[in-house]
Amino acid sequence: MPAHHHPARKKFTRFASKQPFRFGLPNVSAELTQASDNSPSYLTRTTSLLRQQVLANAPSVKIISDTVHPDVLARDGWAHTDFDRKRVLFLIPDDAIGDCVGMALFLRAFAVKYPRAKIAVLNSGSASDIFATLSDVTVFQLFISAKRLKTFDYLIDFSEMEGWKDIATMPVNPEEALCEAFDISPIPLASKRSPKLAPGARIGILPMASSPLRTLPPALVREIAEFLAKAGFDITLILNAYQGVMKKYKDTIGPFDQPNIRIVDGFKTIGNLVSFISEQNYVVLADSGPAHITKLFQTPGIGIYSSASPTVLQGRHQNLLPWQSTYKGDFCEAPCGLAKLRATASGTIGCMGSLGLPMSELINLPANSDKALAEQLVTESPVPCVAALVEHKDRFFTFLRKDLELQT
C-alpha cells in the first residue's frame, strides 16, 4: 500500500534570484554557508530569517509565493515506511537548541536503522552546527533549491509531532517522541558515568539560560567557580553575549583572583559552543541549551533546575545529575513547569512567585521584552525558586563534593 502524503503544516516561501547569492547566519560555522546553484527557484520557511530580513529587501530577488506547502509523508506513515536506500529530507520546525539536540539524537538512531539512507535537514537555522555533528547528514540551514528538492524520495515535517507548540508551558522530549513515532530504538548510551577527575581537569560552568526563571543566581555561580578552582580544576565560566542581560550579570558575579578561572563572554557560533562542551571533563550548568548539548557527548556534570523538572528534559540521559530547587511558597512550588516568564492581563511580567499571583492570572506570554526587568530578575533573584538555590547552597555543595569524590 503506497504511503500517504499531504501538505506540510509550515508555510514555505518560493523565491527566484537573477543574481548568484551566498548566505549563512552569523552564529553558524562558515563552512555551512549556502550558495545558489542556478536553480529556477528556491524554498525557505516563511518564518526564517532569510525570508524576513534578507529576501524582503534584496532587489534581485522575486518572491513567487509565501504560501507553499510541500507534500510530505503523513505522520501515520512514518513507522511503516522502509527508508532503505532512500533520500529523506527532514523539515526542521524551529531552531531551539534543546529541540534540535533531540532531533539530532533521533537522526543518529534513524541512520543506524537505515545506514544506506541519505539524510538531510532543511531550515535548521542557528542550530545548524548541532546537525553538523552527525556524519553524512546534509545541512540546508536556510534554503534548498528546486533542483535539490527534486532529488529527495521523502520529505518529513517534524512539526507534525503533537505537543511542540506547547513547549513554553509543557516541555517535551523530541528524541523519545520521534523514536516512538518512527518505531526506532534510540541509540545505546555510554554504560557508565565516571566523573572522578584528575587535578587540572577542565570544568565548564554555563549558568545562563534564555529565561530568568532558569538562569543561575550570580552569588551561587561565583561560589561554585571558586570552590572548584580551589579543588585544583581548570575552570571556564561561559556567559552568553547574545543575551542582553549578560553585561549586568557578569558585573554582578564580579572578577576572580584565581588564575585557574577564566570568563568567556560567549561564543560567536553554536559550533564553538558545541566544541567547547565536547572538550570538557565535567560541567555545571543551568537548565538551558548547553545542558541538552551534553547529551551529544554524554559529558558528565550537574544540571541545576528551578522552574522546570529534569525528568522530561533529560529523558533517558544520565550524564547530568539533576539538582532541583525545593522552593515551596503560597503561590507555587518548584518545579512549576514554566519555561518562560508570563504576563498578566494588564501586562505585568513575572511568574507566580515573583508577582505573588496564581497561575490563573498569568494568562499570556509577554508581548515585549523588558531588559531592565530581565536584568533585575537575574541579578537580584526575585524569582523565589531561583533564590532558593542560594538559600540551600550548603546541601548543593555537599552534593557536588560527593559527585566529584572530593574530600570535605
Side-chain angles (χ1 to χ4, degrees):
M1 184 176 156
H4 172 58
H5 289 71
H6 59 203
R9 284 188 180 184
K10 295 274 183 184
K11 287 181 187 175
F12 284 76
T13 293
R14 191 184 304 282
F15 67 96
S17 177
K18 296 173 188 169
Q19 302 291 332
F21 61 92
R22 292 177 65 81
F23 200 77
L25 292 172
N27 61 341
V28 172
S29 297
E31 53 267 32
L32 295 178
T33 295
Q34 291 184 262
S36 54
D37 63 1
N38 297 314
S39 184
S41 66
Y42 302 84
L43 214 63
T44 185
R45 205 171 58 227
T46 307
T47 53
S48 77
L49 286 174
L50 178 66
R51 168 65 183 104
Q52 294 178 328
Q53 296 183 11
V54 179
L55 301 183
N57 305 311
S60 63
V61 167
K62 181 185 179 189
I63 304 295
I64 300 166
S65 172
D66 268 336
T67 55
V68 177
H69 296 270
D71 271 355
V72 298
L73 179 64
R75 165 84 170 72
D76 58 13
W78 293 358
H80 310 294
T81 301
D82 182 2
F83 296 101
D84 183 44
R85 297 179 186 270
K86 299 300 183 185
R87 295 174 178 270
V88 188
L89 178 66
F90 293 94
L91 310 183
I92 306 300
D94 70 77
D95 55 4
I97 288 177
D99 286 1
C100 289
V101 167
M103 294 177 222
L105 289 165
F106 159 73
L107 291 175
R108 279 190 193 172
F110 185 92
V112 169
K113 181 162 183 181
Y114 300 106
R116 294 178 294 186
K118 296 287 187 191
I119 302 170
V121 296
L122 172 61
N123 281 125
S124 45
S126 61
S128 295
D129 283 302
I130 289 166
F131 294 99
T133 63
L134 305 170
S135 55
D136 301 323
V137 169
T138 305
V139 178
F140 299 100
Q141 62 163 312
L142 288 162
F143 64 87
I144 190 169
S145 71
K147 282 182 182 177
R148 291 298 296 272
L149 192 64
K150 281 181 186 172
T151 66
F152 288 95
D153 301 297
Y154 292 105
L155 271 61
I156 291 172
D157 181 6
F158 275 168
S159 68
E160 293 196 8
M161 289 303 300
E162 297 302 328
W164 286 6
K165 65 184 186 312
D166 303 320
I167 201 157
T169 54
M170 191 58 63
V172 293
N173 183 328
E175 177 193 17
E176 198 174 278
L178 287 168
C179 283
E180 194 176 308
F182 281 82
D183 194 19
I184 291 175
S185 300
I187 52 164
L189 299 176
S191 58
K192 191 168 184 299
R193 183 181 179 278
S194 50
K196 187 165 173 58
L197 305 178
R202 296 183 300 275
I203 297 184
I205 301 174
L206 298 96
M208 298 187 76
S210 57
S211 168
L213 297 179
R214 295 176 284 114
T215 295
L216 303 185
L220 181 66
V221 174
R222 181 174 185 85
E223 208 165 327
I224 292 170
E226 290 176 334
F227 170 80
L228 293 171
K230 193 175 174 184
F233 301 120
D234 181 24
I235 310 305
T236 310
L237 174 58
I238 303 293
L239 304 177
N240 188 340
Y242 285 101
Q243 288 176 282
V245 299
M246 191 278 286
K247 189 174 186 312
K248 183 80 184 286
Y249 187 75
K250 180 182 179 181
D251 290 345
T252 307
I253 292 171
F256 293 95
D257 297 329
Q258 294 97 317
N260 54 334
I261 300 177
R262 67 187 184 115
I263 301 178
V264 175
D265 286 353
F267 294 115
K268 183 175 185 293
T269 69
I270 302 292
N272 298 143
L273 172 62
V274 169
S275 296
F276 172 81
I277 288 174
S278 75
E279 293 158 0
Q280 300 309 294
N281 302 115
Y282 192 88
V283 289
V284 179
L285 29 61
D287 167 16
S288 60
H292 290 283
I293 291 171
T294 66
K295 297 172 185 173
L296 297 172
F297 312 105
Q298 294 298 296
T299 310
I302 291 177
I304 303 178
Y305 293 83
S306 48
S307 63
S309 163
T311 311
V312 173
L313 296 163
Q314 290 189 190
R316 67 196 184 101
H317 298 268
Q318 305 294 313
N319 58 301
L320 296 181
L321 281 188
W323 180 258
Q324 174 74 62
S325 171
T326 54
Y327 173 77
K328 281 186 171 62
D330 293 338
F331 296 94
C332 57
E333 64 180 73
C336 67
L338 287 189
K340 299 179 179 178
L341 295 170
R342 309 286 290 184
T344 63
S346 62
T348 307
I349 298 170
C351 65
M352 291 81 78
S354 68
L355 298 176
L357 291 172
M359 180 63 191
S360 58
E361 292 194 35
L362 295 171
I363 52 177
N364 303 314
L365 288 172
N368 302 302
S369 58
D370 183 332
K371 184 181 175 183
L373 174 65
E375 286 182 342
Q376 181 201 3
L377 288 171
V378 298
T379 58
E380 298 172 23
S381 289
V383 176
C385 63
V386 175
L389 295 168
V390 179
E391 292 161 27
H392 302 137
K393 66 181 182 181
D394 291 347
R395 293 208 330 261
F396 170 77
F397 281 102
T398 301
F399 184 74
L400 177 61
R401 196 179 281 114
K402 182 181 175 186
D403 192 39
L404 290 171
E405 298 180 34
L406 299 173
Q407 301 303 310
T408 52

